[in-house]
Amino acid sequence: MLRQGIPLGRLFGIDIRLHYSWFIIFILITALLAGAYFPRNFPDWSTALYWGIGVATSVLFFLSVLAHELSHSIVAQRAGMAVKSITLFVFGGVSQIEKEPEQPSVEFRVALAGPLSSLVIGGIFWGIWALTRGVNEPAAALAFWLGWINVVLAGFNLIPGFPLDGGRVLRSFIWWRSGNLVRATRAASNIGIGIGYLFIIGGIGLVFWGYLLDGIWIAFIGWFLQNAASGSYRQVAVQDMLRGHTVSEVMTRDCPTLPPDVSVETLVHDYILGSGRRCFPVTEDSRVLGLVTVHDVRKIPRDLWPMKKVSEAMTPFDKLKWVRPGDDLSSVLQMMSSEDVNQLPVVDNNSVVGIVARDNLLSFINLRGELGMSRRP
Ligand SMILES: [Zn+2]
């Protein structure tokens, strides 16, 4: 869901994106500040000043959340983990880090970096507030609110329910003590799910007490938390099931190849519809030129199918992501997710020896689940 968003540019080699839901929080905060908070506390400001300071505060709040996420990402990068993107959305930010940390100490540092940066930023804003108090009222008001919200941000994120930062700290601790990442994730996500339900119950309670908006908002955060907690546990459990198994155990081996000058029309009728397969390596003299998939075919208008060759429709080899027969399945799943593809060619000695698709991984997981082999001793 958070893959989409408006690209804002790159910082430290990381794509910064804005998810559409972020505008909800931006409008909400600006409206609450300019329409209620500032007028209540500073009745003699002009309307233009309320809105001007309101928008400025919201923008600085956005930069504070971005700095929080960047802190996680930079610490992760230093530890050798690639960070693809940061997406800011209605509940904060998400860093898309390409793999799970390999050691509890790394997870601990990555998780703690965010709340620490929020505390530092909060302290800086309160410093500005102390300096501008009695000198420049709007600047002091802006700095005070931002100092407060950054401390709240740090506090909220330190709640020990996975996948919040505090839950990650907790997980790293249990992981360090037990040496078992899956068990640590299960414990930390169960606490996350529990905290999510507490928020939902508390939110509903607030609605009955007459705090309609706050109640709905808190219940909504709770719903999001418990969803994210159960989702992250499933993900780690699946990774664990796949770990230690190789691509060669699940890949589809008999893999018909195509010469480059076959037309897309022939590809569709003689190869795809005849076999039900969704992707074909294109080869010449047993050299792999690229891979053509149903997805590539769909990009070509139907009336051009007889004219276009598969060599024009395929993804060329140098742009292709591929795996080796001996690669670990857990890394294959991570690669499919981060590259957003459904299948990867399996390459050995410069020739395609098979295809591994999401379906292969899925049936591997389902079969083990049915046979009761999903949990390790
Ligand atoms: Zn964080």
Side-chain angles (χ1 to χ4, degrees):
M1 158 208 167
L2 289 173
R3 226 170 259 285
Q4 304 95 357
I6 304 158
L8 293 185
R10 277 169 87 82
L11 272 175
F12 302 96
I14 303 162
D15 287 323
I16 312 292
R17 292 168 181 283
L18 208 55
H19 188 257
Y20 304 104
S21 66
W22 176 82
F23 289 98
I24 299 172
I25 196 77
F26 185 79
I27 292 167
L28 204 67
I29 288 180
T30 309
L32 282 175
L33 287 170
Y37 175 79
F38 290 142
R40 199 166 52 229
N41 293 292
F42 310 100
D44 49 340
W45 291 7
S46 69
T47 308
L49 191 57
Y50 289 141
W51 286 94
I53 297 297
V55 170
T57 310
S58 279
V59 169
L60 286 167
F61 171 63
F62 156 77
L63 292 176
S64 303
V65 175
L66 182 59
H68 174 112
E69 278 317 309
L70 271 175
S71 310
H72 287 303
S73 298
I74 290 168
V75 174
Q77 275 183 338
R78 289 252 174 98
M81 292 145 78
V83 184
K84 279 191 82 132
S85 64
I86 291 176
T87 306
L88 295 165
F89 73 119
V90 63
F91 296 125
V94 182
S95 303
Q96 208 206 337
I97 299 175
E98 276 195 315
K99 54 181 180 183
E100 291 279 337
E102 267 151 23
Q103 285 163 2
S105 61
V106 173
E107 160 128 87
F108 180 80
R109 275 182 282 140
V110 172
L112 217 53
L116 280 183
S117 73
S118 292
L119 281 179
V120 169
I121 295 166
I124 292 171
F125 277 118
W126 272 343
I128 296 172
W129 168 68
L131 293 172
T132 50
R133 240 167 92 195
V135 184
N136 185 330
E137 196 178 61
L142 170 148
F144 180 80
W145 189 85
L146 283 165
W148 171 80
I149 198 73
N150 271 290
V151 172
V152 169
L153 200 65
F156 175 75
N157 274 293
L158 282 172
I159 293 174
F162 194 78
L164 289 176
D165 297 338
R168 290 185 178 276
V169 171
L170 176 68
R171 177 171 84 157
S172 72
F173 183 75
I174 304 174
W175 183 11
W176 172 60
R177 294 305 303 252
S178 68
N180 186 328
L181 174 62
V182 180
R183 201 196 297 166
T185 309
R186 185 157 57 223
S189 346
N190 279 338
I191 296 173
I193 292 169
I195 288 169
Y197 281 124
L198 278 182
F199 269 69
I200 294 174
I201 294 165
I204 293 170
L206 279 177
V207 169
F208 281 110
W209 273 86
Y211 298 97
L212 186 68
L213 264 182
D214 298 283
I216 292 174
W217 187 246
I218 286 171
F220 200 34
I221 291 177
W223 169 80
F224 171 76
L225 262 183
Q226 74 87 19
N227 241 335
S230 45
S232 341
Y233 173 62
R234 261 199 309 277
Q235 203 181 331
V236 173
V238 163
Q239 290 285 354
D240 185 60
M241 235 186 274
L242 294 175
R243 193 166 298 126
H245 295 276
T246 60
V247 170
S248 60
E249 289 176 58
V250 302
M251 69 186 195
T252 309
R253 276 164 205 283
D254 65 311
C255 194
T257 57
L258 288 176
D261 50 0
V262 167
S263 74
V264 173
E265 180 83 12
T266 311
L267 163 69
V268 171
H269 287 109
D270 294 4
Y271 290 84
I272 296 176
L273 294 177
S275 69
R277 292 184 194 287
R278 303 179 64 85
C279 91
F280 299 87
V282 180
T283 57
E284 192 172 43
D285 308 326
S286 79
R287 196 164 54 89
V288 188
L289 303 176
L291 188 76
V292 62
T293 65
V294 171
H295 187 73
D296 295 320
V297 172
R298 285 210 336 237
K299 282 191 251 173
I300 296 172
R302 205 164 165 178
D303 47 327
L304 294 180
W305 284 3
M307 278 88 85
K308 287 271 183 194
K309 291 175 182 166
V310 290
S311 56
E312 297 167 274
M314 71 184 188
T315 307
F317 188 71
D318 53 333
K319 293 222 177 90
L320 208 59
K321 295 284 171 186
W322 47 272
V323 291
R324 291 189 187 84
D327 283 353
D328 197 279
L329 284 183
S330 63
S331 67
V332 172
L333 184 62
Q334 281 181 351
M335 195 167 177
M336 283 181 184
S337 305
S338 66
E339 297 298 327
D340 205 15
V341 293
N342 289 318
Q343 65 266 308
L344 290 163
V346 186
V347 176
D348 197 17
N349 290 326
N350 285 326
S351 66
V352 173
V353 294
I355 295 281
V356 58
R358 268 180 207 268
D359 293 349
N360 296 119
L361 299 181
L362 211 62
S363 56
F364 178 85
I365 291 164
N366 285 343
L367 267 175
R368 303 200 132 236
E370 269 178 53
L371 294 168
M373 297 164 74
S374 55
R375 222 164 260 173
R376 290 189 178 188

